Amino acid sequence: NENMIAATTGTSSSAEDSGIGKGPRAAMCQKSVAKDEGRMRKILIRSISGLAMVLVFFGILYCGHVYICALVAALELLLFRELVKVRYNTFFHIIEETIPLFRTTQWMWFAVAIFYTYSDFVVEVIKSNTNLHYLLIYAQLQTPLAFTLYSGTFVLTIATMQTGHIKFQLNQLCWTIVVLCLTVGQLKYIMHNVYNGLIWFTLPILLVIINDVMAYVAGMTCGRKFIQRPFVQLSPNKTWEGFIGGWFFTVIASWYLSRFLVKFTWMTCPTNEFRLLPVPLTCDIDPVFHEATSIIPTQVFELFPSVLVTMIPGVVNVCSVDGNTSLLTACVSGESTHAHHHFELVLKGVFPMQIHAISLAMFASLVAPFGGFLASAIKRAYGVKDFDSIIPGHGGVMDRMD
């Protein structure tokens, strides 16, 4: 009996020493604990990788315009690689030893798209910078060279088509063109934006990042508490609360973030020089970056219900008197002679860039997220979880840049 008591006591002590039976984790089985720890580890890795990407981005932003353009080009290359690799891996059994120069022609189309899209920008910079006029003789070759590259790639693509795989190759050609539109076509003017002022590149990217983060936070904290209906079938985890919350915080952030960025000439000054080392920029600041008095067009308020418009701080309800539209005054509640005519909002001490930023925030909130939904549809169609594993905790470049 004493041995049994001692054994029981020892077992109890061991259980107490090991922590079993204490705290909320006691109700979790070992598998659940391991799953919880794995999730926390994944969140930690994801957070560290995200912080590292942000620091690298700001480092490149500090280095200057040339390095930003190089970053954009590198991202386009990686995005194209990941998207074409999805179909390549899926249909490798068809491609292997049956379709010659399959990947070669894909990358040739990518080279043609990059050259055609950005060579005209380089030519513009050369023409606008007298220090680079010695390159004008080469700039004249841009158009014929682009046409030659296109013609050669087109001929080679058709010449490599195989009788038994023509349908597949045509589908693949269509897929390549779609991928080029997504990765290169829609970024045609991004180099112009960089050299017209870094704010036109930096602000939209930061707004998309803010929207992504805040939509995640709003979805985690309020998801399906107010609206049970799923937001989009392609991504079951996306919620209306996350989408609306991301939009709300992005619009607010755009107002204050733009006001902060316009204070730096590094952000607002354009340039037409290719410099490998950063130098301070000086210029005549564009009026859009100066404080001013802005009058919001009355037509804007007609797009929204009057109940919502009256909730906007500073909005004035302007009324006509006795139906005379030439006699307008601020509405007085209960005045029978007053009839609503229009809403008016005058913003004083506001940078016009802040108003531009709101439109950018609307795009970042209402349009940009659907790029992520398209990426989810592609992964679902080809049965992959991530496009790649190049970024720890995030997957591929497409998983972050979608």
Side-chain angles (χ1 to χ4, degrees):
N1 291 338
E2 291 178 355
N3 292 337
M4 291 175 65
I5 293 173
T8 304
T9 306
T11 303
S12 301
S13 300
S14 299
E16 291 176 1
D17 293 339
S18 64
I20 298 174
K22 290 185 176 181
R25 294 169 71 93
M28 302 173 63
C29 65
Q30 186 175 359
K31 185 177 180 180
S32 299
V33 172
K35 183 178 180 180
D36 182 51
E37 293 176 347
R39 182 184 179 188
M40 295 302 297
R41 189 182 303 111
K42 185 180 294 186
I43 292 176
L44 179 62
I45 294 174
R46 189 181 181 94
S47 300
I48 294 175
S49 298
L51 179 61
M53 286 190 289
V54 170
L55 293 176
V56 169
F57 173 73
F58 282 114
I60 294 176
L61 199 62
Y62 172 79
C63 289
H65 302 70
V66 171
Y67 298 97
I68 294 172
C69 292
L71 172 65
V72 172
L75 291 175
E76 287 179 311
L77 186 146
L78 292 172
L79 290 171
F80 180 80
R81 168 186 167 273
E82 291 180 1
L83 285 170
V84 297
K85 190 176 72 171
V86 170
R87 275 181 64 87
Y88 181 81
N89 291 339
T90 303
F91 298 105
F92 181 76
H93 62 286
I94 298 178
I95 300 169
E96 187 182 20
E97 298 180 358
T98 59
I99 302 178
L101 301 178
F102 180 82
R103 304 201 76 176
T104 302
T105 52
Q106 282 189 321
W107 284 104
M108 287 180 67
W109 281 113
F110 177 77
V112 170
I114 288 290
F115 184 85
Y116 178 78
T117 302
Y118 298 125
S119 58
D120 59 343
F121 161 72
V122 177
V123 170
E124 288 180 16
V125 174
I126 292 174
K127 289 180 178 179
S128 64
N129 191 337
T130 55
N131 296 327
L132 299 175
H133 277 186
Y134 68 93
L135 297 174
L136 284 174
I137 187 173
Y138 302 104
Q140 296 174 357
L141 301 175
Q142 180 256 338
T143 301
L145 185 55
F147 181 74
T148 302
L149 287 173
Y150 167 78
S151 299
T153 304
F154 177 78
V155 170
L156 184 62
T157 300
I158 304 304
T160 55
M161 286 191 172
Q162 302 297 301
T163 305
H165 303 286
I166 292 178
K167 184 176 181 180
F168 169 78
Q169 287 181 282
L170 288 175
N171 287 336
Q172 185 62 32
L173 179 60
C174 293
W175 173 248
T176 303
I177 294 172
V178 169
V179 170
L180 289 175
C181 290
L182 293 174
T183 58
V184 181
Q186 66 174 341
L187 296 177
K188 176 175 175 58
Y189 293 104
I190 193 169
M191 303 301 184
H192 296 79
N193 287 346
V194 169
Y195 276 81
N196 284 334
L198 285 177
I199 192 171
W200 300 110
F201 169 81
T202 307
L203 181 61
I205 287 181
L206 292 179
L207 292 179
V208 172
I209 294 174
I210 291 171
N211 177 259
D212 195 29
V213 172
M214 297 313 300
Y216 175 79
V217 173
M220 288 290 292
T221 55
C222 304
R224 293 194 174 88
K225 291 184 178 179
F226 302 97
I227 305 175
Q228 297 296 324
R229 184 178 180 181
F231 178 68
V232 62
Q233 295 295 334
L234 294 174
S235 297
N237 293 330
K238 305 297 183 182
T239 63
W240 280 98
E241 290 84 353
F243 185 75
I244 296 171
W247 164 78
F248 178 78
F249 287 106
T250 303
V251 170
I252 293 177
S254 69
W255 184 261
Y256 295 100
L257 183 59
S258 58
R259 189 178 183 89
F260 172 75
L261 292 178
V262 297
K263 299 177 180 178
F264 303 95
T265 57
W266 185 246
M267 285 285 151
T268 58
C269 284
T271 183
N272 60 355
E273 298 178 347
F274 296 117
R275 292 183 178 273
L276 297 180
L277 296 177
V279 295
L281 296 178
T282 56
C283 64
D284 294 329
I285 304 299
D286 192 279
V288 75
F289 303 123
H290 286 292
E291 281 188 326
T293 298
S294 301
I295 301 176
I296 307 300
T298 58
Q299 293 83 354
V300 173
F301 302 115
E302 295 176 1
L303 301 174
F304 304 96
S306 58
V307 177
L308 293 179
V309 175
T310 55
M311 296 173 62
I312 301 176
V315 168
V316 177
N317 189 3
V318 178
C319 288
S320 59
V321 180
D322 290 327
N324 186 359
T325 56
S326 62
L327 184 59
L328 301 177
T329 183
C331 295
V332 177
S333 179
E335 179 60 54
S336 59
T337 60
H338 286 188
H340 170 75
H341 187 267
H342 67 273
F343 289 105
E344 190 174 281
L345 177 60
V346 178
L347 300 176
K348 297 181 179 180
V350 171
F351 294 91
M353 183 61 199
Q354 290 179 271
I355 301 175
H356 283 283
I358 292 179
S359 63
L360 292 174
M362 298 295 284
F363 183 90
S365 303
L366 305 179
V367 179
F370 284 85
F373 303 151
L374 174 61
S376 298
I378 295 173
K379 289 189 288 187
R380 185 182 293 269
Y382 291 99
V384 295
K385 184 178 183 296
D386 295 315
F387 285 97
D388 209 330
S389 57
I390 191 172
I391 307 175
H394 293 266
V397 175
M398 183 63 184
D399 293 294
R400 284 279 58 81
M401 301 297 166
D402 51 0

